[in-house]
Amino acid sequence: MNRILIKSPATSANVGPGYDIFAMALKHPHDEIEIILDHSGLVKIEIINDDQNIPTTLNDNTAGLAVLELLKRQQLKQGMTIRIIKQMKSGGGMGTTGASAAAAVFGLDKLLKLNLSMNEMIDIARMGEVASGGSPHADNVAASLLGGFILVKSYHPIDVLKLEMPEFPVVLAAIRKSQRTTRGFITYEIGQEKLKEQMARCSRIIHAIHTKDIQEFGSAFSVDHIAEPVRGASIPEYQSVKKQVIGSGAFGCQISGGGSSVIAVCDPEKVDEVAYIMEQGFANNPYFVKVYKTTTSNQGVQVIG
Ligand code: HSE
């Protein structure tokens, strides 16, 4: 076998208070990654349907960087073409870069029969994220690989737990980032009171998943004292849209992953109303792309060809 085609889902990281340790997979959108092995000894990247000027230089592309990491760790020299077939009209914070890195590592593991463990694959794929955000966070790649809800239990060494995620309706406004990453502006110095609330909210999220309680889940994920203050401030309409979304009866609204996309959870019958609020609210934002109506999902990467 010298060719494989992988489907890799969008993911929403942080899930409110769980900065760099929580993420969840979405049913759609997704990207597809095709890997074709050859004897050139060179790794090449091709992007199909690119609307975002995704870099094809290996060190600047999340899939490219992850593959270089895998080849280095396995001490392999293997030529290949990695074709990233974009289906996601991307905003920032939908895990698209992680989806590519995760699929590339998963596909190569299959093609080269490496039998890497899931934690090893996550550890390699997360190195690809350095190309996008400058940091090897594991949350998005883990959710793309495994599906469901991810808790990164440990970064040293990488150890990830997947929880089965109830299928919650999700409305996601895809908004591109106005700058490459806001991570450098985020501080952990949030003070004792906010720190206690942050920890309580993380615990509430886990409990809400175990009890399949979407109301509790939405309420817990709507406040984050670490990333939301920085990322919310970079989206002029964010606070007003969030207020309207919650006011309409949605259970929760938050920045998705690294931003600037915005995610809400609500009852199925509220999905259209929440989507309309987001479409109207972000209509004049030059970085707004589109609104997705989807659900959380337990499906991670899949071989489709
Ligand atoms: N945890 C990462 C961050 C996710 O917040 O930067 C990036 O999508």
Side-chain angles (χ1 to χ4, degrees), residues 117-132:
S117 72
M118 191 46 80
N119 280 334
E120 283 173 310
M121 282 195 263
I122 292 165
D123 198 29
I124 294 168
R126 78 189 177 101
M127 295 304 165
E129 293 279 37
V130 173
S132 102

Side-chain angles (χ1 to χ4, degrees), residues 131-147:
S132 102
S135 105
H137 52 272
D139 42 6
N140 290 112
V141 295
S144 268
L145 278 162
L146 285 161

Side-chain angles (χ1 to χ4, degrees), residues 4-212:
I4 197 164
L5 182 63
I6 311 284
K7 180 175 168 181
S8 192
T11 60
S12 182
N14 302 338
V15 195
Y19 184 57
D20 281 356
I21 60 164
F22 287 173
M24 55 189 183
L26 303 178
K27 189 172 263 176
H28 73 262
H30 68 271
D31 279 343
E32 289 172 12
I33 286 36
E34 185 180 25
I35 305 174
I36 305 149
L37 300 182
D38 60 39
H39 298 292
S40 68
L42 300 172
V43 179
K44 294 177 285 296
I45 308 257
E46 289 176 6
I47 322 268
I48 316 291
N49 299 332
D50 183 13
D51 65 342
Q52 312 148 52
N53 294 322
I54 299 169
T56 52
T57 324
L58 285 185
N59 280 309
D60 297 327
N61 181 288
T62 54
L65 206 51
V67 165
L68 291 181
E69 181 71 20
L70 183 148
L71 296 178
K72 188 174 84 187
R73 288 194 194 189
Q74 296 292 317
Q75 298 180 313
L76 289 170
K77 191 163 167 55
Q78 172 67 58
M80 72 192 81
T81 298
I82 301 166
R83 197 169 282 152
I84 302 172
I85 306 156
K86 294 298 297 176
Q87 314 275 347
M88 303 193 212
K89 288 274 172 220
S90 178
M94 294 164 57
T96 57
T97 56
S100 297
V105 171
F106 181 79
L108 264 192
D109 178 71
K110 289 262 174 301
L111 282 177
L112 302 176
K113 299 189 172 54
L114 300 175
N115 290 320
L116 297 172
S117 72
M118 191 46 80
N119 280 334
E120 283 173 310
M121 282 195 263
I122 292 165
D123 198 29
I124 294 168
R126 78 189 177 101
M127 295 304 165
E129 293 279 37
V130 173
S132 102
S135 105
H137 52 272
D139 42 6
N140 290 112
V141 295
S144 268
L145 278 162
L146 285 161
F149 179 90
I150 294 301
L151 163 61
V152 183
K153 290 197 295 183
S154 155
Y155 266 90
H156 307 287
I158 279 292
D159 190 6
V160 161
L161 177 71
K162 171 186 174 176
L163 301 180
E164 285 298 305
M165 187 71 192
E167 202 171 281
F168 291 157
V170 163
V171 184
L172 182 109
I175 303 173
R176 291 199 187 98
K177 280 185 214 180
S178 56
Q179 58 200 108
R180 189 164 166 263
T181 176
T182 45
R183 289 182 70 90
F185 300 102
I186 290 170
T187 175
Y188 287 95
E189 308 290 323
I190 58 175
Q192 203 184 110
E193 288 313 310
K194 287 182 177 167
L195 182 61
K196 281 190 272 191
E197 194 194 349
Q198 192 89 5
M199 289 191 292
R201 283 179 182 271
C202 285
S203 312
R204 287 174 58 193
I205 297 254
I206 300 288
H207 182 65
I209 290 168
H210 284 316
T211 54
K212 301 184 171 40

